[in-house]
């Protein structure tokens, strides 16, 4: 089925990213021991995916994990357009450096590379400043819904 194919593709992509991260860690360890450590090459990100579905800085969900899009573009380790994520928890594969190329920077084990089709855009949530203003979440101004935060009840004297 299509779902099984997508799951297999996601598993293969994760295995490839894990292998790339392991190679990068080994190369970094060798460079440190030999004294040949240097600043990694960098790659410049695009602002959004080719289809416009994912943008830099956007909050997304990948395999049940929440992250922020930090890189969009081609990678050296395989063909196609890839998306680099900084996960909110240390459940990733790398720190944004894959095989000696710095695609983005994040804390160790917070970075992953995936394809846009494996991502879900996280839904926006109301924040306190929006609630206090009485605006709805899309800020379009259409069908504005007031939100009352106070539990006080007005009484007539």
């Amino acid at each position: 089925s299509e779902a099984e194919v997508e799951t297999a593709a996601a598993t293969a992509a994760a295995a490839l990213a894990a292998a790339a991260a392991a190679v990068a860690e080994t190369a970094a360890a060798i460079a440190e021991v030999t004294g040949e450590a240097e600043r990694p090459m960098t790659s410049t990100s695009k602002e959004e995916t080719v289809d416009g579905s994912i943008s830099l800085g956007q909050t997304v969900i990948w395999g049940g994990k929440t992250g922020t899009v930090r890189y969009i573009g081609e990678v050296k380790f395989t063909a196609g357009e890839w998306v680099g994520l900084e996960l909110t928890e240390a459940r990733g594969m790398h720190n944004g450096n894959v095989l000696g190329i710095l695609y983005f920077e994040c804390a160790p084990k917070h970075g992953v590379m995936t394809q846009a089709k494996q991502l879900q855009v996280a839904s926006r949530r109301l924040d306190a400043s929006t609630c206090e203003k009485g605006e709805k979440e899309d800020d379009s101004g259409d069908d504005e819904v007031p939100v009352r935060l106070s539990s006080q009840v007005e009484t007539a004297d």
Side-chain angles (χ1 to χ4, degrees):
S1 77
E2 187 174 321
E4 292 171 328
V5 170
E6 286 183 15
T7 300
T11 302
L16 180 61
V23 169
E25 287 180 21
T26 302
I30 290 170
E32 187 175 325
V33 168
T34 61
E36 297 178 9
E38 60 182 61
R39 181 100 176 121
M41 293 177 50
T42 60
S43 185
T44 304
S45 178
K46 298 188 302 182
E47 290 294 317
E48 64 181 25
T49 55
V50 172
D51 66 4
S53 64
I54 304 292
S55 301
L56 279 181
Q58 191 170 32
T59 301
V60 294
I61 299 171
W62 173 75
K65 302 169 189 125
T66 303
T68 302
V69 176
R70 298 295 185 211
Y71 176 84
I72 299 170
E74 294 183 6
V75 294
K76 299 289 184 192
F77 57 87
T78 191
E81 181 179 62
W82 287 76
V83 178
L85 303 179
E86 178 180 4
L87 300 176
T88 56
E89 298 178 13
R91 296 172 64 195
M93 313 268 183
H94 52 73
N95 65 351
N97 183 330
V98 181
L99 296 175
I101 307 293
L102 184 62
Y103 294 97
F104 61 98
E105 292 185 59
C106 66
K109 302 291 183 189
H110 281 72
V112 295
M113 286 291 207
T114 187
Q115 293 185 307
K117 65 185 175 188
Q118 301 297 325
L119 300 173
Q120 293 179 310
V121 176
S123 61
R124 278 186 55 194
R125 289 186 166 77
L126 292 173
D127 63 22
S129 64
T130 301
C131 289
E132 289 168 5
K133 293 176 187 171
E135 298 171 354
K136 59 184 250 195
E137 89 180 77
D138 70 359
D139 297 327
S140 68
D142 298 334
D143 302 322
E144 186 167 306
V145 178
V147 178
R148 184 176 197 162
L149 296 178
S150 173
S151 61
Q152 296 174 341
V153 177
E154 295 179 25
T155 57
D157 290 299

